[in-house]
Amino acid sequence: MTSEELRNIIKCGETSLVQFKQEFTTQKEMAAEMIAFANGRGGTILFGVKDKTGDILGLSYDEIQNTSRELGNTANEQVRPLIYIQTEVVEIDGKMILVAKIQEGKDKPYKTLSGNIWVKQSADKRRVTDNAEILSLFQQSGTYHPDEAGVPNTSYKDLDTQALDRYFENVYRKPMSDYDIPQDQLLQSMHITDSMGRLTTAGLLFFGRTPQQFMPVFVIKAVWFYGNSIAGTQYKDSRDIEGTIPEMYEQGIRWMKSCLRRTQDGQSFNSIGKLEIPETVLEELLQNALVHIDLLKTAAIRLMVFDDRIEIVNPGCLVGGHTIEEVMKGNSFARNPLMAKFCAQTMPYRGLGSGIPRVLAENSKVEFIDDKEGNQFTVRISRLLAASEAVSSREQAVSDVLQNIRKEVLEELTERQRLLTKRMVETGQWNALENVLENVLETSASLAAYFGVDARTIRRDLSALQAKDVIRHDGPDKGGRWIILAYSTQCAGIQ
């Protein structure tokens, strides 16, 4: 790390990844800081920088040696399991800063000798006491899989026997009744039930008669919006998709396909057309969302269709130290290995990390967003056809407006006034230009900044447009509305 890089880090202050320490205090206190970083995404402790203020004080040679020694002893003696740290000394303006780096741990949860578990919370840390959060740390290290846990109040009676029979026929080529061992032992050996006779989470979600009776939050919340904003209050369709995972998958695919457009794309007249987003892309991404959901988080999968994109929002960010780059290369980490196994045997799912490379091979515009703070993973699929059509419609609408302005009037307008007219049309409907044309004074200021002129010039342009019957202003200066008099009917639906 260079001195300039370190200086920039210090300027940004303490965060969930950076902690300032004027000096080494006690092993117990430092153990808590190191544990919080190891249980999170890792982090850096800067010794020789004053807490809270970020003042660069520096350490002497002896202080650096003592701090390095104490850090090593703390990691070996005060933390379980062991934490490995890296240290380096960086000079800033003649002052020596000891930089201690703690990597994200692979054996979470890390804890003190007394059993306390710490995690980062913004620039501070907090002690973990909630059982679900502790289980989540075990899950991240791969030592606990909630899909294998028994679901309370369930039993063999809650299984769909027909679904089980189909599964055995498809996978093992013989019915359950052909096995010599008792049925309860058979189901337990396959992890469909646990040792107490309860259905496992995976068993319930794949073979249960009514999974949502016991896991009501395990649903797909599907919404088809007007426009491109999640804040929109109107929608074309909204539904909760329930059932087993295979049933939810089939319903989800059918629903998405019903929202999308089809093009002829060189096919015969009688063809049903080519889906604007390849079906392979929809299949792989929805299956991944269902299989890799964080079962410890009480939230539904959200499936949202907008005019320009589809978003699949999945509870649970990437775990096991995985990154988006690794996922795109096909490196997989099974958050729920039992669910992944059942999925590979009952659905088109292949596993092995090959799904995302298959999605990328379709040349679709797909964006992956791993939100660590919000603990969710979002896949955003662009609807390139719909976006292209929207742009064409807007351009045509602007053209129509300008054509509807009388030729002699248009010729009398200055270049800026013509651009001003075009800009205001592109911004939105003239009779409801929210945040831009809410009143004359705000309009003048915002448009003046856009064109790089003063507000008085813009007001003069608006007055000229008004005098030539291009626009009209209704109501008071504050709170009134602009109305375009040449606004064509073709523009009425353009947002």
Side-chain angles (χ1 to χ4, degrees), residues 263-284:
T263 59
Q264 190 170 357
D265 197 26
Q267 295 175 305
S268 67
F269 180 78
N270 293 322
S271 170
I272 63 172
K274 185 177 180 181
L275 208 61
E276 65 176 284
I277 296 175
E279 195 165 341
T280 299
V281 173
L282 303 177
E283 291 174 348
E284 294 293 348

mmCIF file with all atom_site columns, all heavy atoms in Angstrom, residues 263-284:
data_model
loop_
_atom_site.group_PDB
_atom_site.id
_atom_site.type_symbol
_atom_site.label_atom_id
_atom_site.label_alt_id
_atom_site.label_comp_id
_atom_site.label_asym_id
_atom_site.label_entity_id
_atom_site.label_seq_id
_atom_site.pdbx_PDB_ins_code
_atom_site.Cartn_x
_atom_site.Cartn_y
_atom_site.Cartn_z
_atom_site.occupancy
_atom_site.B_iso_or_equiv
_atom_site.pdbx_formal_charge
_atom_site.auth_seq_id
_atom_site.auth_comp_id
_atom_site.auth_asym_id
_atom_site.auth_atom_id
_atom_site.pdbx_PDB_model_num
ATOM 1   N N   . THR A 1 263 ? -41.232 -11.605 -31.370 1.00 0.00 ? 263 THR A N   1
ATOM 2   C CA  . THR A 1 263 ? -40.990 -11.015 -32.679 1.00 0.00 ? 263 THR A CA  1
ATOM 3   C C   . THR A 1 263 ? -40.922 -12.123 -33.717 1.00 0.00 ? 263 THR A C   1
ATOM 4   O O   . THR A 1 263 ? -40.554 -13.265 -33.417 1.00 0.00 ? 263 THR A O   1
ATOM 5   C CB  . THR A 1 263 ? -39.670 -10.238 -32.694 1.00 0.00 ? 263 THR A CB  1
ATOM 6   O OG1 . THR A 1 263 ? -38.587 -11.115 -32.350 1.00 0.00 ? 263 THR A OG1 1
ATOM 7   C CG2 . THR A 1 263 ? -39.709 -9.084  -31.703 1.00 0.00 ? 263 THR A CG2 1
ATOM 8   N N   . GLN A 1 264 ? -41.223 -11.756 -34.951 1.00 0.00 ? 264 GLN A N   1
ATOM 9   C CA  . GLN A 1 264 ? -41.187 -12.758 -36.018 1.00 0.00 ? 264 GLN A CA  1
ATOM 10  C C   . GLN A 1 264 ? -39.753 -13.178 -36.306 1.00 0.00 ? 264 GLN A C   1
ATOM 11  O O   . GLN A 1 264 ? -39.445 -14.357 -36.461 1.00 0.00 ? 264 GLN A O   1
ATOM 12  C CB  . GLN A 1 264 ? -41.836 -12.204 -37.284 1.00 0.00 ? 264 GLN A CB  1
ATOM 13  C CG  . GLN A 1 264 ? -42.064 -13.255 -38.362 1.00 0.00 ? 264 GLN A CG  1
ATOM 14  C CD  . GLN A 1 264 ? -42.913 -12.729 -39.496 1.00 0.00 ? 264 GLN A CD  1
ATOM 15  O OE1 . GLN A 1 264 ? -43.386 -11.599 -39.472 1.00 0.00 ? 264 GLN A OE1 1
ATOM 16  N NE2 . GLN A 1 264 ? -43.110 -13.550 -40.508 1.00 0.00 ? 264 GLN A NE2 1
ATOM 17  N N   . ASP A 1 265 ? -38.838 -12.199 -36.375 1.00 0.00 ? 265 ASP A N   1
ATOM 18  C CA  . ASP A 1 265 ? -37.407 -12.463 -36.491 1.00 0.00 ? 265 ASP A CA  1
ATOM 19  C C   . ASP A 1 265 ? -37.087 -13.496 -37.567 1.00 0.00 ? 265 ASP A C   1
ATOM 20  O O   . ASP A 1 265 ? -36.354 -14.469 -37.332 1.00 0.00 ? 265 ASP A O   1
ATOM 21  C CB  . ASP A 1 265 ? -36.860 -12.932 -35.129 1.00 0.00 ? 265 ASP A CB  1
ATOM 22  C CG  . ASP A 1 265 ? -35.334 -12.821 -35.079 1.00 0.00 ? 265 ASP A CG  1
ATOM 23  O OD1 . ASP A 1 265 ? -34.771 -11.981 -35.812 1.00 0.00 ? 265 ASP A OD1 1
ATOM 24  O OD2 . ASP A 1 265 ? -34.712 -13.598 -34.323 1.00 0.00 ? 265 ASP A OD2 1
ATOM 25  N N   . GLY A 1 266 ? -37.654 -13.317 -38.754 1.00 0.00 ? 266 GLY A N   1
ATOM 26  C CA  . GLY A 1 266 ? -37.337 -14.202 -39.868 1.00 0.00 ? 266 GLY A CA  1
ATOM 27  C C   . GLY A 1 266 ? -38.093 -15.507 -39.879 1.00 0.00 ? 266 GLY A C   1
ATOM 28  O O   . GLY A 1 266 ? -37.919 -16.328 -40.789 1.00 0.00 ? 266 GLY A O   1
ATOM 29  N N   . GLN A 1 267 ? -38.948 -15.736 -38.877 1.00 0.00 ? 267 GLN A N   1
ATOM 30  C CA  . GLN A 1 267 ? -39.690 -16.984 -38.829 1.00 0.00 ? 267 GLN A CA  1
ATOM 31  C C   . GLN A 1 267 ? -40.915 -16.905 -39.744 1.00 0.00 ? 267 GLN A C   1
ATOM 32  O O   . GLN A 1 267 ? -41.301 -15.831 -40.200 1.00 0.00 ? 267 GLN A O   1
ATOM 33  C CB  . GLN A 1 267 ? -40.112 -17.286 -37.388 1.00 0.00 ? 267 GLN A CB  1
ATOM 34  C CG  . GLN A 1 267 ? -38.928 -17.537 -36.444 1.00 0.00 ? 267 GLN A CG  1
ATOM 35  C CD  . GLN A 1 267 ? -39.385 -17.721 -35.017 1.00 0.00 ? 267 GLN A CD  1
ATOM 36  O OE1 . GLN A 1 267 ? -40.063 -16.881 -34.452 1.00 0.00 ? 267 GLN A OE1 1
ATOM 37  N NE2 . GLN A 1 267 ? -39.019 -18.843 -34.429 1.00 0.00 ? 267 GLN A NE2 1
ATOM 38  N N   . SER A 1 268 ? -41.535 -18.039 -40.001 1.00 0.00 ? 268 SER A N   1
ATOM 39  C CA  . SER A 1 268 ? -42.695 -18.095 -40.882 1.00 0.00 ? 268 SER A CA  1
ATOM 40  C C   . SER A 1 268 ? -43.867 -17.347 -40.266 1.00 0.00 ? 268 SER A C   1
ATOM 41  O O   . SER A 1 268 ? -43.915 -17.086 -39.063 1.00 0.00 ? 268 SER A O   1
ATOM 42  C CB  . SER A 1 268 ? -43.088 -19.551 -41.149 1.00 0.00 ? 268 SER A CB  1
ATOM 43  O OG  . SER A 1 268 ? -43.554 -20.154 -39.955 1.00 0.00 ? 268 SER A OG  1
ATOM 44  N N   . PHE A 1 269 ? -44.853 -17.027 -41.101 1.00 0.00 ? 269 PHE A N   1
ATOM 45  C CA  . PHE A 1 269 ? -46.007 -16.243 -40.659 1.00 0.00 ? 269 PHE A CA  1
ATOM 46  C C   . PHE A 1 269 ? -46.775 -16.949 -39.551 1.00 0.00 ? 269 PHE A C   1
ATOM 47  O O   . PHE A 1 269 ? -47.315 -16.331 -38.641 1.00 0.00 ? 269 PHE A O   1
ATOM 48  C CB  . PHE A 1 269 ? -46.928 -15.981 -41.856 1.00 0.00 ? 269 PHE A CB  1
ATOM 49  C CG  . PHE A 1 269 ? -48.140 -15.176 -41.502 1.00 0.00 ? 269 PHE A CG  1
ATOM 50  C CD1 . PHE A 1 269 ? -48.064 -13.801 -41.336 1.00 0.00 ? 269 PHE A CD1 1
ATOM 51  C CD2 . PHE A 1 269 ? -49.372 -15.799 -41.304 1.00 0.00 ? 269 PHE A CD2 1
ATOM 52  C CE1 . PHE A 1 269 ? -49.184 -13.061 -40.992 1.00 0.00 ? 269 PHE A CE1 1
ATOM 53  C CE2 . PHE A 1 269 ? -50.489 -15.055 -40.973 1.00 0.00 ? 269 PHE A CE2 1
ATOM 54  C CZ  . PHE A 1 269 ? -50.397 -13.685 -40.815 1.00 0.00 ? 269 PHE A CZ  1
ATOM 55  N N   . ASN A 1 270 ? -46.855 -18.279 -39.614 1.00 0.00 ? 270 ASN A N   1
ATOM 56  C CA  . ASN A 1 270 ? -47.623 -19.054 -38.645 1.00 0.00 ? 270 ASN A CA  1
ATOM 57  C C   . ASN A 1 270 ? -46.855 -19.354 -37.358 1.00 0.00 ? 270 ASN A C   1
ATOM 58  O O   . ASN A 1 270 ? -47.379 -19.999 -36.460 1.00 0.00 ? 270 ASN A O   1
ATOM 59  C CB  . ASN A 1 270 ? -48.085 -20.374 -39.273 1.00 0.00 ? 270 ASN A CB  1
ATOM 60  C CG  . ASN A 1 270 ? -49.101 -20.139 -40.390 1.00 0.00 ? 270 ASN A CG  1
ATOM 61  O OD1 . ASN A 1 270 ? -49.940 -19.247 -40.271 1.00 0.00 ? 270 ASN A OD1 1
ATOM 62  N ND2 . ASN A 1 270 ? -49.008 -20.913 -41.462 1.00 0.00 ? 270 ASN A ND2 1
ATOM 63  N N   . SER A 1 271 ? -45.606 -18.923 -37.283 1.00 0.00 ? 271 SER A N   1
ATOM 64  C CA  . SER A 1 271 ? -44.811 -19.159 -36.071 1.00 0.00 ? 271 SER A CA  1
ATOM 65  C C   . SER A 1 271 ? -45.331 -18.297 -34.925 1.00 0.00 ? 271 SER A C   1
ATOM 66  O O   . SER A 1 271 ? -45.860 -17.201 -35.131 1.00 0.00 ? 271 SER A O   1
ATOM 67  C CB  . SER A 1 271 ? -43.341 -18.835 -36.340 1.00 0.00 ? 271 SER A CB  1
ATOM 68  O OG  . SER A 1 271 ? -42.610 -18.837 -35.136 1.00 0.00 ? 271 SER A OG  1
ATOM 69  N N   . ILE A 1 272 ? -45.180 -18.796 -33.694 1.00 0.00 ? 272 ILE A N   1
ATOM 70  C CA  . ILE A 1 272 ? -45.628 -18.027 -32.524 1.00 0.00 ? 272 ILE A CA  1
ATOM 71  C C   . ILE A 1 272 ? -44.664 -16.886 -32.211 1.00 0.00 ? 272 ILE A C   1
ATOM 72  O O   . ILE A 1 272 ? -44.938 -16.057 -31.359 1.00 0.00 ? 272 ILE A O   1
ATOM 73  C CB  . ILE A 1 272 ? -45.788 -18.930 -31.282 1.00 0.00 ? 272 ILE A CB  1
ATOM 74  C CG1 . ILE A 1 272 ? -44.425 -19.537 -30.870 1.00 0.00 ? 272 ILE A CG1 1
ATOM 75  C CG2 . ILE A 1 272 ? -46.824 -19.985 -31.508 1.00 0.00 ? 272 ILE A CG2 1
ATOM 76  C CD1 . ILE A 1 272 ? -44.473 -20.266 -29.553 1.00 0.00 ? 272 ILE A CD1 1
ATOM 77  N N   . GLY A 1 273 ? -43.530 -16.845 -32.877 1.00 0.00 ? 273 GLY A N   1
ATOM 78  C CA  . GLY A 1 273 ? -42.586 -15.753 -32.673 1.00 0.00 ? 273 GLY A CA  1
ATOM 79  C C   . GLY A 1 273 ? -41.508 -16.080 -31.664 1.00 0.00 ? 273 GLY A C   1
ATOM 80  O O   . GLY A 1 273 ? -41.616 -17.019 -30.875 1.00 0.00 ? 273 GLY A O   1
ATOM 81  N N   . LYS A 1 274 ? -40.469 -15.278 -31.707 1.00 0.00 ? 274 LYS A N   1
ATOM 82  C CA  . LYS A 1 274 ? -39.303 -15.484 -30.836 1.00 0.00 ? 274 LYS A CA  1
ATOM 83  C C   . LYS A 1 274 ? -39.416 -14.560 -29.627 1.00 0.00 ? 274 LYS A C   1
ATOM 84  O O   . LYS A 1 274 ? -39.625 -13.353 -29.750 1.00 0.00 ? 274 LYS A O   1
ATOM 85  C CB  . LYS A 1 274 ? -38.025 -15.191 -31.611 1.00 0.00 ? 274 LYS A CB  1
ATOM 86  C CG  . LYS A 1 274 ? -36.748 -15.474 -30.857 1.00 0.00 ? 274 LYS A CG  1
ATOM 87  C CD  . LYS A 1 274 ? -35.540 -15.213 -31.753 1.00 0.00 ? 274 LYS A CD  1
ATOM 88  C CE  . LYS A 1 274 ? -34.248 -15.491 -30.995 1.00 0.00 ? 274 LYS A CE  1
ATOM 89  N NZ  . LYS A 1 274 ? -33.066 -15.225 -31.857 1.00 0.00 ? 274 LYS A NZ  1
ATOM 90  N N   . LEU A 1 275 ? -39.259 -15.143 -28.434 1.00 0.00 ? 275 LEU A N   1
ATOM 91  C CA  . LEU A 1 275 ? -39.365 -14.391 -27.188 1.00 0.00 ? 275 LEU A CA  1
ATOM 92  C C   . LEU A 1 275 ? -38.256 -13.338 -27.128 1.00 0.00 ? 275 LEU A C   1
ATOM 93  O O   . LEU A 1 275 ? -37.114 -13.605 -27.489 1.00 0.00 ? 275 LEU A O   1
ATOM 94  C CB  . LEU A 1 275 ? -39.253 -15.344 -25.998 1.00 0.00 ? 275 LEU A CB  1
ATOM 95  C CG  . LEU A 1 275 ? -39.961 -14.946 -24.702 1.00 0.00 ? 275 LEU A CG  1
ATOM 96  C CD1 . LEU A 1 275 ? -41.457 -14.808 -24.916 1.00 0.00 ? 275 LEU A CD1 1
ATOM 97  C CD2 . LEU A 1 275 ? -39.673 -15.986 -23.624 1.00 0.00 ? 275 LEU A CD2 1
ATOM 98  N N   . GLU A 1 276 ? -38.601 -12.136 -26.663 1.00 0.00 ? 276 GLU A N   1
ATOM 99  C CA  . GLU A 1 276 ? -37.610 -11.054 -26.655 1.00 0.00 ? 276 GLU A CA  1
ATOM 100 C C   . GLU A 1 276 ? -36.430 -11.342 -25.724 1.00 0.00 ? 276 GLU A C   1
ATOM 101 O O   . GLU A 1 276 ? -35.331 -10.829 -25.934 1.00 0.00 ? 276 GLU A O   1
ATOM 102 C CB  . GLU A 1 276 ? -38.270 -9.734  -26.272 1.00 0.00 ? 276 GLU A CB  1
ATOM 103 C CG  . GLU A 1 276 ? -38.830 -9.694  -24.843 1.00 0.00 ? 276 GLU A CG  1
ATOM 104 C CD  . GLU A 1 276 ? -39.393 -8.327  -24.494 1.00 0.00 ? 276 GLU A CD  1
ATOM 105 O OE1 . GLU A 1 276 ? -38.605 -7.406  -24.234 1.00 0.00 ? 276 GLU A OE1 1
ATOM 106 O OE2 . GLU A 1 276 ? -40.634 -8.181  -24.506 1.00 0.00 ? 276 GLU A OE2 1
ATOM 107 N N   . ILE A 1 277 ? -36.633 -12.129 -24.684 1.00 0.00 ? 277 ILE A N   1
ATOM 108 C CA  . ILE A 1 277 ? -35.549 -12.623 -23.826 1.00 0.00 ? 277 ILE A CA  1
ATOM 109 C C   . ILE A 1 277 ? -35.515 -14.137 -23.989 1.00 0.00 ? 277 ILE A C   1
ATOM 110 O O   . ILE A 1 277 ? -36.539 -14.791 -23.799 1.00 0.00 ? 277 ILE A O   1
ATOM 111 C CB  . ILE A 1 277 ? -35.767 -12.248 -22.346 1.00 0.00 ? 277 ILE A CB  1
ATOM 112 C CG1 . ILE A 1 277 ? -35.735 -10.728 -22.170 1.00 0.00 ? 277 ILE A CG1 1
ATOM 113 C CG2 . ILE A 1 277 ? -34.701 -12.887 -21.450 1.00 0.00 ? 277 ILE A CG2 1
ATOM 114 C CD1 . ILE A 1 277 ? -36.069 -10.270 -20.767 1.00 0.00 ? 277 ILE A CD1 1
ATOM 115 N N   . PRO A 1 278 ? -34.371 -14.722 -24.335 1.00 0.00 ? 278 PRO A N   1
ATOM 116 C CA  . PRO A 1 278 ? -34.317 -16.173 -24.548 1.00 0.00 ? 278 PRO A CA  1
ATOM 117 C C   . PRO A 1 278 ? -34.849 -16.944 -23.343 1.00 0.00 ? 278 PRO A C   1
ATOM 118 O O   . PRO A 1 278 ? -34.570 -16.597 -22.190 1.00 0.00 ? 278 PRO A O   1
ATOM 119 C CB  . PRO A 1 278 ? -32.818 -16.443 -24.761 1.00 0.00 ? 278 PRO A CB  1
ATOM 120 C CG  . PRO A 1 278 ? -32.276 -15.160 -25.283 1.00 0.00 ? 278 PRO A CG  1
ATOM 121 C CD  . PRO A 1 278 ? -33.069 -14.078 -24.591 1.00 0.00 ? 278 PRO A CD  1
ATOM 122 N N   . GLU A 1 279 ? -35.634 -17.970 -23.611 1.00 0.00 ? 279 GLU A N   1
ATOM 123 C CA  . GLU A 1 279 ? -36.239 -18.747 -22.537 1.00 0.00 ? 279 GLU A CA  1
ATOM 124 C C   . GLU A 1 279 ? -35.182 -19.371 -21.635 1.00 0.00 ? 279 GLU A C   1
ATOM 125 O O   . GLU A 1 279 ? -35.388 -19.523 -20.429 1.00 0.00 ? 279 GLU A O   1
ATOM 126 C CB  . GLU A 1 279 ? -37.146 -19.830 -23.132 1.00 0.00 ? 279 GLU A CB  1
ATOM 127 C CG  . GLU A 1 279 ? -38.093 -20.456 -22.121 1.00 0.00 ? 279 GLU A CG  1
ATOM 128 C CD  . GLU A 1 279 ? -39.210 -21.236 -22.777 1.00 0.00 ? 279 GLU A CD  1
ATOM 129 O OE1 . GLU A 1 279 ? -39.477 -21.022 -23.979 1.00 0.00 ? 279 GLU A OE1 1
ATOM 130 O OE2 . GLU A 1 279 ? -39.824 -22.061 -22.078 1.00 0.00 ? 279 GLU A OE2 1
ATOM 131 N N   . THR A 1 280 ? -34.040 -19.747 -22.202 1.00 0.00 ? 280 THR A N   1
ATOM 132 C CA  . THR A 1 280 ? -32.940 -20.317 -21.397 1.00 0.00 ? 280 THR A CA  1
ATOM 133 C C   . THR A 1 280 ? -32.516 -19.366 -20.293 1.00 0.00 ? 280 THR A C   1
ATOM 134 O O   . THR A 1 280 ? -32.237 -19.780 -19.164 1.00 0.00 ? 280 THR A O   1
ATOM 135 C CB  . THR A 1 280 ? -31.728 -20.636 -22.294 1.00 0.00 ? 280 THR A CB  1
ATOM 136 O OG1 . THR A 1 280 ? -32.119 -21.583 -23.275 1.00 0.00 ? 280 THR A OG1 1
ATOM 137 C CG2 . THR A 1 280 ? -30.578 -21.184 -21.475 1.00 0.00 ? 280 THR A CG2 1
ATOM 138 N N   . VAL A 1 281 ? -32.467 -18.085 -20.609 1.00 0.00 ? 281 VAL A N   1
ATOM 139 C CA  . VAL A 1 281 ? -32.075 -17.074 -19.618 1.00 0.00 ? 281 VAL A CA  1
ATOM 140 C C   . VAL A 1 281 ? -33.074 -17.044 -18.469 1.00 0.00 ? 281 VAL A C   1
ATOM 141 O O   . VAL A 1 281 ? -32.693 -17.053 -17.288 1.00 0.00 ? 281 VAL A O   1
ATOM 142 C CB  . VAL A 1 281 ? -31.961 -15.691 -20.288 1.00 0.00 ? 281 VAL A CB  1
ATOM 143 C CG1 . VAL A 1 281 ? -31.721 -14.601 -19.239 1.00 0.00 ? 281 VAL A CG1 1
ATOM 144 C CG2 . VAL A 1 281 ? -30.854 -15.687 -21.329 1.00 0.00 ? 281 VAL A CG2 1
ATOM 145 N N   . LEU A 1 282 ? -34.359 -17.024 -18.794 1.00 0.00 ? 282 LEU A N   1
ATOM 146 C CA  . LEU A 1 282 ? -35.389 -16.999 -17.755 1.00 0.00 ? 282 LEU A CA  1
ATOM 147 C C   . LEU A 1 282 ? -35.332 -18.252 -16.899 1.00 0.00 ? 282 LEU A C   1
ATOM 148 O O   . LEU A 1 282 ? -35.441 -18.191 -15.665 1.00 0.00 ? 282 LEU A O   1
ATOM 149 C CB  . LEU A 1 282 ? -36.775 -16.868 -18.400 1.00 0.00 ? 282 LEU A CB  1
ATOM 150 C CG  . LEU A 1 282 ? -36.996 -15.658 -19.319 1.00 0.00 ? 282 LEU A CG  1
ATOM 151 C CD1 . LEU A 1 282 ? -38.397 -15.723 -19.927 1.00 0.00 ? 282 LEU A CD1 1
ATOM 152 C CD2 . LEU A 1 282 ? -36.799 -14.359 -18.564 1.00 0.00 ? 282 LEU A CD2 1
ATOM 153 N N   . GLU A 1 283 ? -35.166 -19.414 -17.534 1.00 0.00 ? 283 GLU A N   1
ATOM 154 C CA  . GLU A 1 283 ? -35.149 -20.685 -16.808 1.00 0.00 ? 283 GLU A CA  1
ATOM 155 C C   . GLU A 1 283 ? -33.991 -20.759 -15.827 1.00 0.00 ? 283 GLU A C   1
ATOM 156 O O   . GLU A 1 283 ? -34.170 -21.100 -14.645 1.00 0.00 ? 283 GLU A O   1
ATOM 157 C CB  . GLU A 1 283 ? -35.060 -21.846 -17.805 1.00 0.00 ? 283 GLU A CB  1
ATOM 158 C CG  . GLU A 1 283 ? -36.309 -22.045 -18.630 1.00 0.00 ? 283 GLU A CG  1
ATOM 159 C CD  . GLU A 1 283 ? -36.126 -23.098 -19.707 1.00 0.00 ? 283 GLU A CD  1
ATOM 160 O OE1 . GLU A 1 283 ? -34.971 -23.510 -19.949 1.00 0.00 ? 283 GLU A OE1 1
ATOM 161 O OE2 . GLU A 1 283 ? -37.136 -23.521 -20.287 1.00 0.00 ? 283 GLU A OE2 1
ATOM 162 N N   . GLU A 1 284 ? -32.803 -20.444 -16.314 1.00 0.00 ? 284 GLU A N   1
ATOM 163 C CA  . GLU A 1 284 ? -31.613 -20.568 -15.453 1.00 0.00 ? 284 GLU A CA  1
ATOM 164 C C   . GLU A 1 284 ? -31.677 -19.615 -14.274 1.00 0.00 ? 284 GLU A C   1
ATOM 165 O O   . GLU A 1 284 ? -31.373 -19.991 -13.136 1.00 0.00 ? 284 GLU A O   1
ATOM 166 C CB  . GLU A 1 284 ? -30.344 -20.318 -16.274 1.00 0.00 ? 284 GLU A CB  1
ATOM 167 C CG  . GLU A 1 284 ? -30.051 -21.351 -17.333 1.00 0.00 ? 284 GLU A CG  1
ATOM 168 C CD  . GLU A 1 284 ? -29.694 -22.716 -16.757 1.00 0.00 ? 284 GLU A CD  1
ATOM 169 O OE1 . GLU A 1 284 ? -29.450 -22.805 -15.537 1.00 0.00 ? 284 GLU A OE1 1
ATOM 170 O OE2 . GLU A 1 284 ? -29.655 -23.689 -17.527 1.00 0.00 ? 284 GLU A OE2 1
#
